[in-house]
Amino acid sequence: METGKLIIWEPLKENPFDRFKVQMNLVSLQYDGEDFVLIFTAFNSEEKFKFIYKQYDFSFYAIRHFRILKEWTRGDIEFLIGKLREERDSAGLQKFPYDPTFYKIENSSFKSWYKNIDLSLPTSEDSQLEHHLYIASDYFIDVLSENQPIICIDHTNR
């Protein structure tokens, strides 16, 4: 159960996704031992959005760990989304014009769990390790990485 704090993450300048109105469809997930690639489309669109976590020399791994849960809803995440909305309302912040699909999680229980099983994680990488959450139409995808993904948009019809 996730107990951290959600932060809305906007990795795309012009985000076409809305959690309920224009859902993100997971096309593929690839990990070749070096780069980790998530490919999404928006329903009713042929554009492919590739989120590529590259393996760089300065970070030994492209990602540290990931998990994918095939669920329509996760009560723990729904609770955190509700909490985020309440915090924004009480701070007088404007409501978002869409339902986000990308989040970062601070004080993540998934990250804490991982750090307890991987004792090889260097302190320098631990300080950079982030928990990224992707909410797709049928999946919740969690990624632990020191790197931000490179995003490529394929506009061709394939």
Side-chain angles (χ1 to χ4, degrees):
M1 167 147 326
E2 188 53 62
T3 57
K5 177 181 178 181
L6 289 182
I7 297 177
I8 294 173
W9 177 37
E10 298 185 276
L12 295 169
K13 287 184 181 185
E14 294 182 28
N15 184 0
F17 302 112
D18 181 294
R19 184 172 173 203
F20 300 108
K21 295 176 186 155
V22 184
Q23 295 180 343
M24 225 169 39
N25 180 36
L26 178 64
V27 174
S28 71
L29 180 149
Q30 304 163 5
Y31 186 51
D32 62 6
E34 291 184 15
D35 297 342
F36 180 74
V37 181
L38 296 163
I39 301 175
F40 299 100
T41 59
F43 282 108
N44 300 323
S45 173
E46 294 296 320
E47 286 183 317
K48 289 185 180 177
F49 296 81
K50 296 180 183 181
F51 290 75
I52 306 164
Y53 289 86
K54 300 285 295 170
Q55 181 176 344
Y56 297 108
D57 290 340
F58 61 84
S59 60
F60 193 67
Y61 301 103
I63 62 167
R64 278 295 183 158
H65 198 55
F66 78 94
R67 68 180 174 195
I68 180 169
L69 301 169
K70 184 175 173 75
E71 297 184 24
W72 287 96
T73 185
R74 275 184 54 193
D76 58 336
I77 298 298
E78 300 304 332
F79 174 78
L80 293 176
I81 290 171
K83 195 172 173 182
L84 177 62
R85 284 191 180 125
E86 288 173 10
E87 289 172 4
R88 291 184 61 80
D89 287 345
S90 66
L93 297 173
Q94 183 178 359
K95 291 184 180 185
F96 278 96
Y98 65 97
D99 287 297
T101 54
F102 305 107
Y103 293 94
K104 290 185 179 183
I105 304 178
E106 286 184 346
N107 301 319
S108 161
S109 57
F110 180 48
K111 180 179 168 182
S112 296
W113 167 82
Y114 175 75
K115 285 170 41 177
N116 283 329
I117 65 165
D118 183 358
L119 302 177
S120 71
L121 184 65
T123 305
S124 60
E125 288 182 22
D126 175 31
S127 64
Q128 300 297 317
L129 192 63
E130 292 185 341
H131 180 172
H132 300 163
L133 172 65
Y134 298 82
I135 301 178
S137 57
D138 294 332
Y139 302 97
F140 286 79
I141 304 159
D142 297 277
V143 178
L144 295 178
S145 181
E146 302 95 64
N147 305 324
Q148 298 300 310
I150 296 168
I151 302 164
C152 300
I153 302 171
D154 182 355
H155 299 284
T156 60
N157 295 336
R158 291 185 189 181

